Amino acid sequence: MAPVLELRGITKRFPGVLANDHISLTLEEGEIHALLGENGAGKTTLMNILYGLYRPDEGEIYVRGQRAEIRQPNDAIALGIGMVHQHFMLVPVFTVAENVMLGVESVRAGIFLDQEDAVRRIRQISEQYGLGVDPYAYIKTLPVGIQQRVEIIKLLYRQADILILDEPTAVLTPQEVEELFKILRALSSQGKSIIFITHKLKEVMAIADRITVLRNGRVVGTTTPAQTSEEQLAAMMVGREVLLRVEKRPAQPGEPVLRVENLQVYDDRGNLAVRGVSFEVRAGEVVGVAGVQGNGQTELVQALTGLRPAAGGRIFILDKDVTTASPRAILERGVAHVPEDRQKDGLVLSFPVADNLVLNTYYLPPFAQRGVLDREVILATAERRVREFDVRTPSVLTPVSSLSGGNQQKVIVAREFSRPIRLLIASQPTRGLDVGSIEYIHRRIIEKRDEGCAVLLVSPELDEVMNLSDRIAVMYEGQIQAILPAETATKEEIGLLMAGVRKEEVRATAG
Amino acid sequence: MSTPWQAVGARAGVSIRRARTYGFVFLAAGLSIFLLFAWGLPAGQTTTFVLHPGGASQAIPIPDLTLPSQTTLYILALLCVFLGGWQLARGFRRVNLVLSLIAGAFVIAFLTWAASGKSFNLTGLLNSALLRAVPIALAGLSGVLCERCAVINIAIEGMMLTGAFVAALMGSVAANVWKWPAPASLTFGLVSALMAGALLGLLLAVLAVRFKVDQIIAGTAINILATGITSFLSARILAEFQYLNNPGIFRPISLPLFSKIPIIGPVVFEQNILVYVMFVLLAAVHIMLFYTRWGLRTRAVGEHPRAADTLGVNVFRTRYINVTLGGMVAGLAGAFLILGSVGRFDELMTAGKGFIGLAAMIFGKWTPFGAFGAALIFGFADALQTKLAILAVPIPSQFLLMAPYLVTMIVLAGVIGEAIPPAADGQPYEKQ
Ligand SMILES: Nc1ncnc2c1ncn2[C@@H]1O[C@H](COP(=O)(O)OP(=O)(O)OP(=O)(O)O)[C@@H](O)[C@H]1O
Ligand SMILES: [Mg+2]
């Protein structure tokens, strides 16, 4: 039987980049096919071609044995191809039902929207696959995990049987990933074929039937989880051996750099998201904040960086009270911030790479003299940083928006790490990065630590927190459950604390 | 960056301050009614509000409303003070509604004082307010159509001007050259204006969508073009041949039964066909925008064009269609100035109504009826100012001109709150 989908010799050039170089790929019915590759390897580009958003320069696509011309998304949709994009394609001010039916609206009398009909069908799909989505909810009120399910419902609603998911797990908590995998398995057992893009090797090993690895726009090879290992996959992706664990010496903590006393912060809805948190981070140590997303970590970081007012308590940086200081005053005290949402809080997407690299220092010499920007210094510095941090971009004048997701993240890291800093506040610093880049950034974080910088690392990835931290603070419902030394802490212990079990009880269960 | 934590601030004390401010504003309104109006008014004087337009109106006649000026003002002042005190002590849940009430009370107090010892035709005022609101509302509606799919139409002014010119010229040609009977010649003028508006709309769409010209610049260019051409042609043709600037006007049509309702009847149901067309259009666009497939797609294109594109919605076509329709509605607004109002074209006769329409659209939160409501307030302010000049009120005319707008701004700022445009407003869409 012909494969459900076959790509032959797909080639796509962008100015200065060969994004896809004669890529061939087959997708069998009912399989989950993982697509792996470094940041900028060309995965998203390939999928956009398949979905009709880009036209390939060369190559052919066959769907169920038939040659297919996919000129626009409508053609792909008609062929039963659906895609969940790396950056979601949902209208925030619309309801779930409106988003789902957009483009294939149910109508009465030819023109009037029939929301009830759409709602009925969404409920049906939602029940069939255990998605639990309220069709009347507004997208902007939903957490990302649920938004992603809405994206999946969009595909199923259009009766797609070839599903493309571009880094669906990058924004999910481990729990949400588990649930997504259940959904994907259910879908594949019903004969849906799935292309699944991710950077997380564990996930690939857990869910994929077959794995194809891309590097520099070319297929490096196709394999199965049984025939390979995480180390092997990492090496295939990056083209060299990769350390999946971080090597570091014991910390040599010095004076406290960040001190937080009984901090309280409201969230957007006016609820107390951080409820009286106290801790300190000393020079030369990494304090990791573990916790299921949505337990106040976001608000905590925003308060520490001056982006959100504190409702109570105090924040000291280098013994100076900065509770009400402006973000600029805080960063001028030597604080670097890698924000959680890179596109919203970390970059000006339409600005070139070079400008984004000096977003928080442009007004200082050497980038500005007496209020006038010195373009040459800015450009020369940008060239250096891009090389140093291996940002894959055609030039430093390319707008950041056309960089691949992982390379956007590297721009932020390059900006924040190349200032003299005393405190690094990093929220999910490796979100969406490939294993090679993760290794690199982890190494840089440890280097900063060893230089005597204090590091506060917030990440829902338990592995990352455990690998990097010297001490681990576990947050639950706006409070710190416990602060544990990283050497003795176990995954189980932290998992229980994250789930809200109290420290004394954890000890009791463990002991 | 939009600031989602404004909401936090709101809960963390700012709202209390804002609520207090409202209370003081209410008290101040009461106090000013007392000091400015009631104080020093000769006792025993009355104000008469005429509630029937007179003339050929079919409305059931009702007696005039005669009020003791000072007592009325005291009552209104007390009302404001009471509401202000309540707001400070307890706080209203729907404080914006109360604010509108206060503004209404203030306007009535003002009229009571201004017309004290005289009689004042209230129906006439409202009628004139509606007529002045129509072109503004239509301009706002044109803006709604365009901006809902994320194209900023700053060219409404020019489109109106062109529509007005074409309506005057073509209506006159049909009536005075071809000697068509009135309904046919007027309709011809109207349809020509619609076509002219549509053409300019299409031009804007081509510039903004196809060539991705900055929309403000494209719109400004169209305004300059329209101003230049109509002024030139009007000086060359209309001024030379007067019969080409005399299309006649649509006569008022009294709707049976409805026109008999006191006050509302003569204000709303004894108008010419274009006013009724406006009401129908408002309702139609509202229904289309929020209850049809076209509307859902339009709003999606305005909020997140890439999302719409990935679902197979044609972003470009949507924008072409909507902006052309928007141009048509702007053409209608222009035609109203001629065929529904003064019956002849003058250079620059739109006098900024297109821009005021855009303001109405914003105040109306990009909804048809919101824009209409805002247009009514603008129209009312405009009408009031002309009527007061007739009453010879003893305050400087400059202040008279200003006062209604002040009230308008306070009310709008308070009642409407933050206005959020469609998320993609003004951004050209790049297909990848
Ligand atoms: N619209 C565009 N214009 C110019 N260059 C582009 C465009 N889109 C992608 N590229 C370039 O093509 C290359 C491949 O990008 P792509 O987004 O496909 O990578 P990716 O494999 O999805 O990476 P990531 O894992 O970081 O998302 C990158 O070098 C990127 O800079
Ligand atoms: Mg990608």
Side-chain angles (χ1 to χ4, degrees), chain A residues 51 53-54 73-74 77 85 88-91 93-94 98-99 102-103 105 107 110-113 154 158 266-270 302 307-308 345, chain B residues 1-2 4-5 7-9 11-12 287-288 290-297 299-300 303-304 306-313 429 431-432:
Chain A
Y51 194 64
L53 286 171
Y54 295 159
N74 264 340
I77 294 168
H85 299 263
F88 292 164
M89 295 293 173
L90 296 169
V91 182
V93 295
F94 280 14
E98 287 172 329
N99 266 288
L102 181 62
E105 299 84 354
V107 285
I111 57 165
F112 293 106
L113 293 175
K154 266 160 78 175
R158 286 163 177 74
Y266 284 108
D267 66 12
D268 289 342
R269 294 184 197 87
Q302 285 172 340
L307 294 171
R308 189 184 276 274
D345 298 330
Chain B
M1 190 171 32
S2 76
W5 22 96
V8 181
R11 210 151 307 225
I287 291 171
M288 301 251 292
F290 297 108
Y291 300 98
T292 69
R293 168 168 29 199
W294 169 84
L296 187 73
R297 293 184 175 188
R299 286 182 290 136
E303 293 287 343
H304 196 332
R306 178 132 297 141
D309 193 15
T310 59
L311 294 175
V313 174
Y429 182 65
K431 227 163 154 90
Q432 286 160 327

Side-chain angles (χ1 to χ4, degrees), chain A residues 238-257:
Chain A
V238 185
R240 61 178 167 85
E241 290 297 314
V242 179
L243 278 179
L244 294 177
R245 283 200 58 89
V246 190
E247 297 209 319
K248 58 173 201 211
R249 287 174 289 125
Q252 316 251 298
E255 291 298 299
V257 175

